[in-house]
Amino acid sequence: MSKARAMQLTERRSEGLLRVYDVVVPAAELQQKLNAKIAEVQPRVRINGFRPGKVPVSHIRKVYGPGMMQDIINETVQKSTKESLDKVNARPASEPSLDLKSDMNQVVAGTADLQFELSLEVMPDFEPIDLKTISITRPVTAVADAQVDEALAELARANRGFEDKDGAAADGDALIIDFIGRIDGEAFDGGAATDAQVVIGSNQFIPGFEEQLVGAKAGDERTLKVSFPDDYPAANLKGKAAEFETKVKSVRAPKAGAPDDAWAAELGFDSLNAIKDALRQRIESEHKQQSRAKAKRQLFDQLDAQHDFELPPRMVEAEFNQIWRQIEQDRAAGRLDPSDEGKSDDDLKAEYRDIAERRVRLGLLLAEIGRRHKIEVSDQEVAQAISVQARNFPGQERQIFEAYQRNPQLVAQVRAPIYEEKVVDYVMELIKVSDENVDRETLFAEDDAPTPSKKAKKTKA
């Protein structure tokens, strides 16, 4: 019996980082796999009119052959893709794309070879700089007692409770009101409520709303005249003057008394000190996260500035398209970055294409550093991250896990940021990091200029 022809691989195109290959899997090879699969299942096949294990091969081929062949084709495409990349020693920069060239009906019928085009962009060849030559300054901020006290006071204000009072409403009081808002005499969506609680001074409502309720008593009716801010999220209400017809149903004053152990117990803590400890830990965590974010941005700025190599065009285009879709959504919702206001689309696209190139460059660089130093993300780390996400959807955890099982791309989206953070951790151990003590305001202050790194942070880390 003659040996079946082996898979054929032909390079058809090589331009820069782009590689295009023609792959042919002979029909005879597919038929051999089908015969093997039929022989494997024959003893277990049960069809009416035949004894168990005695169904003729020809009958199994007729009934189940097309479905089996489709599975074989799918498996073969995946295996052939991997073998093809291994054969040419190619390191894809992103997921390869496939374009089937065969008549699939004929392939399934066994009368035609399986032919497909394999297209990919390969990793550019570059040498990362010596990481030990990089030095950054990391801002750090200690937690002051005054910050804890301020956080405690804020928590107390939010959880102090109120009790009915006689007399006029004052700053800090809560009013239960009904209201309906109108613009140019017409009511608008979302402008009415019943039994709404308004705490004067909380700034939960638009400017001017709460202030005009000072002095109101239960039973009063007032018309509040306000204007929506120019940066209000709803574009149809931005800067519009409105009137709210308001009826005050009750006035309530904050319960007297400073936070104490009894109040802490109502919130589920052992003592007031336990609340303070929890608040201190929360603030410390916020400081550490912000400190790392700023140090990471400095690191990325230096890595980006010190590397210049060819970028895969498709990767850059895909990254840019993702960013631009977000920009268009923000613009439609009135959330465009202030530094982008008044710029033409051409100018904006040029700026954000630079950001797309930066992100691709850094992504490839981190991937190369991780590869050289054998940094990997375990399946357990991915599973833990998915579990954390699933907990955000109580009652739907099973559906979330099943969605990830069905979609490898979703799993890749979880794995990517974990991998990035592990590489950054590794790099941070090699570079020189000098800590600088700063106050909280400085730690959380944005950079003055809208640099590419700052905009990149807003669109994606």
Side-chain angles (χ1 to χ4, degrees), residues 154-197:
E154 182 179 342
L155 181 65
R157 284 193 297 269
N159 295 275
R160 60 192 162 183
F162 295 90
E163 54 190 2
D164 291 336
K165 68 175 262 188
D166 293 328
D171 188 42
D173 286 347
L175 294 85
I176 304 301
I177 64 173
D178 295 342
F179 65 81
I180 181 169
R182 290 186 170 85
I183 295 177
D184 296 330
E186 298 291 333
F188 56 89
D189 290 341
T194 301
D195 292 332
Q197 176 172 287

Side-chain angles (χ1 to χ4, degrees), residues 49 55 144 206 236 242 251 267 336 379:
V55 181
I206 60 176
N236 62 315
V251 178
L267 297 182
L336 194 64
D379 291 340

Side-chain angles (χ1 to χ4, degrees), residues 59-71:
H59 195 73
I60 296 176
R61 183 185 298 275
K62 179 179 178 181
V63 176
Y64 300 109
M68 288 181 175
M69 180 60 84
Q70 190 63 59
D71 291 340

Side-chain angles (χ1 to χ4, degrees), residues 23-42:
V23 182
V24 179
V25 181
E29 179 179 331
L30 298 176
Q31 288 300 314
Q32 285 183 354
K33 293 181 178 181
L34 178 60
N35 292 338
K37 187 173 285 288
I38 291 175
E40 178 186 348
V41 303
Q42 185 185 24

Side-chain angles (χ1 to χ4, degrees), residues 160 162-165 167-179 194-202 204-205 209-222 224 246-254:
R160 60 192 162 183
F162 295 90
E163 54 190 2
D164 291 336
K165 68 175 262 188
D171 188 42
D173 286 347
L175 294 85
I176 304 301
I177 64 173
D178 295 342
F179 65 81
T194 301
D195 292 332
Q197 176 172 287
V198 180
V199 179
I200 299 176
S202 65
Q204 293 178 330
F205 285 70
F209 191 101
E210 297 167 15
E211 294 86 338
Q212 293 180 60
L213 292 172
V214 173
K217 299 178 181 179
D220 284 357
E221 295 186 4
R222 292 190 174 189
L224 312 182
T246 306
K247 180 178 181 179
V248 179
K249 304 175 81 170
S250 67
V251 178
R252 313 182 74 196

